[in-house]
Amino acid sequence: MTSSSLNAVILAAGKGTRMRSALPKVLHPVAQKPMVAHVIETAQALGADAIQLVFGHGAEQLQSRLSDYAVNWVEQKEQLGTGHAVQQVIPHIGDDDTVLILYGDVPLIQQDSLEQLLSAKGDEDLALLTMTLTDPTGYGRIIRDSNGVITGIIEHKDATDAQRLVTEVNTGIMAANGSAMKRWLSALSNDNVQGEYYLTDVVAMAANEGVNIASSQPHSVSDVEGANNRVQLAALERAYQKRQAEQLMLAGATLLDPARIDVRGKVEIENDVVVDVNVVFEGYVYLAEGAVIEANCVLRDCRIGKNARVKANSVIEGAVLGENAQAGPFARLRPGAELAKDAAVGNFVEMKKTYLGEGAKAGHLSYLGDAIIGAGANVGAGTITCNYDGVNKFKTEIGEHAFIGSNSSLVAPVRIGDRATTGAGSVVTQDIGDDELGVGRARQRNISGWKRPQK
Ligand code: UD1
Ligand code: MG
């Protein structure tokens, strides 16, 4: 056997008029990622040696949005049909290549469905991914002879009434030998109802050459569903999210309602994590064993430690929670926030670039930015680190077991010593030594004989 390269061809030249959008159709996102990027990543995961991206409309937007991907850009100036689209890549197809045809607007095609197609193809020259639908209206029909041998594909618009009864349809996805595909493509005509060059016409050509045309079926219908409008796009989003939820449950997560979580990125978990309803994951999120995410949280690029808990309505971004740590309800952790083991922040606490040491607590209504807070410290309600003078940011250090009185303003740069205390309402502008009490507020005066204003 010759070693053949896998050459994936992604058709993405369609305008997508029905999206009613300034954005090219294939850039519309599923789980925050352009549809075509899903297809590119699946081709990469499959081990494609080359990826041809056939584009037409919106070239600039496509190229800037997809600049991170190593694809060969092939322009199809006019959209004269799927066969015409693949003709554009003929110069980039090697004779021994296995050519795999994919679609930029069919984003949920799974790697194992394609692996099955490729193994069904084996050393044959052509294999089709087909499926059987109760309502095949609109699709190209797979035509088989009385022995079940595939002899061609007839487009719905070109089909006779008898052919329209066929329920096995063309998904559009196929794999072919490079030299055979080039030969067939060169012979296409547009003599049909739509006046298009149909890629599907290669099937009858192959049959006429006596090629044994293989076929296989995708794992699920959603693998081969496309999006022409935003209703279909929303359906793909739900199908994608259902898959993510199922994967998480099979990996050991309890999802209180699998229909009410969204994964827009990658979530890795250990066993026995629990995720309540309306939780959105973005970027890369890691949930260690026993972690609990309560309802209505957004977690983006963060790591939640063993048995840690994110309480309801919290937004956690670029942050780390250590073992048994707790945040929320209504916590906002911004990039660089880190809670050590057993640390806790409560409602309306915002943290940014701040380390909260082991067992330390900030229970209520605080802004903690650019701070290092020692183990066992207690940060009282209303504490604010004044870390910014309008130009520069400064650090606040709070020692171990320090006690920050309620409503303290800590004007950085400043250091509060180990076991030090600040009086409630203090504006702290000078360092406080270990074990000291710092009070930075006006002394209370009581004025006797004072009269309230009269009406
Ligand atoms: C195609 C198949 C049909 C199959 C159906 C599955 C053909 C002739 N027909 O029909 O058998 O059942 O898909 O959905 O192939 N495209 C280009 N350039 C073009 C034309 C199309 O890039 O010149 C792209 C489109 O953007 C789209 C894809 O190819 O992503 C399919 O084209 P479309 O016109 O939607 O094909 P169908 O008529 O649905
Ligand atoms: Mg069409």
Side-chain angles (χ1 to χ4, degrees), residues 380-422:
T383 297
I384 305 289
T385 52
C386 310
N387 61 327
Y388 185 49
D389 62 6
V391 180
N392 296 301
K393 301 264 169 73
F394 300 97
K395 273 203 144 50
T396 300
E397 277 182 67
I398 298 175
E400 293 185 2
H401 299 283
F403 185 97
I404 309 302
S406 297
N407 206 30
S408 292
S409 299
L410 309 177
V411 182
V414 71
R415 178 173 198 286
I416 317 293
D418 293 345
R419 299 168 306 279
T421 302
T422 71

Side-chain angles (χ1 to χ4, degrees), residues 424-442:
S426 288
V427 177
V428 178
T429 54
Q430 297 164 34
D431 290 356
I432 303 172
D434 293 351
D435 301 294
E436 284 183 342
L437 166 67
V439 183
R441 65 183 184 220

Side-chain angles (χ1 to χ4, degrees), residues 10-21:
I10 302 176
L11 303 193
K15 193 169 177 188
T17 311
R18 285 168 283 174
M19 283 291 184
R20 296 178 179 275
S21 176

Side-chain angles (χ1 to χ4, degrees), residues 11-15 25 54 76 78-82 84-85 103-105 138-141 153 155 169-172 194 196-200 224 228:
L11 303 193
K15 193 169 177 188
K25 172 162 79 166
V54 180
Q76 184 192 20
E78 278 182 291
Q79 281 70 58
L80 303 180
T82 51
H84 181 257
Y103 299 84
D105 60 352
Y139 286 88
R141 306 300 204 282
I153 294 177
E155 290 305 296
V169 303
N170 175 32
T171 66
Q194 302 189 82
E196 290 180 8
Y197 293 90
Y198 290 164
L199 176 61
T200 45
V224 293
N228 291 315

Side-chain angles (χ1 to χ4, degrees), residues 18-19 25 225-237:
R18 285 168 283 174
M19 283 291 184
K25 172 162 79 166
E225 274 171 347
N228 291 315
N229 58 43
R230 297 186 206 227
V231 174
Q232 292 171 343
L233 184 66
L236 291 185
E237 179 75 32

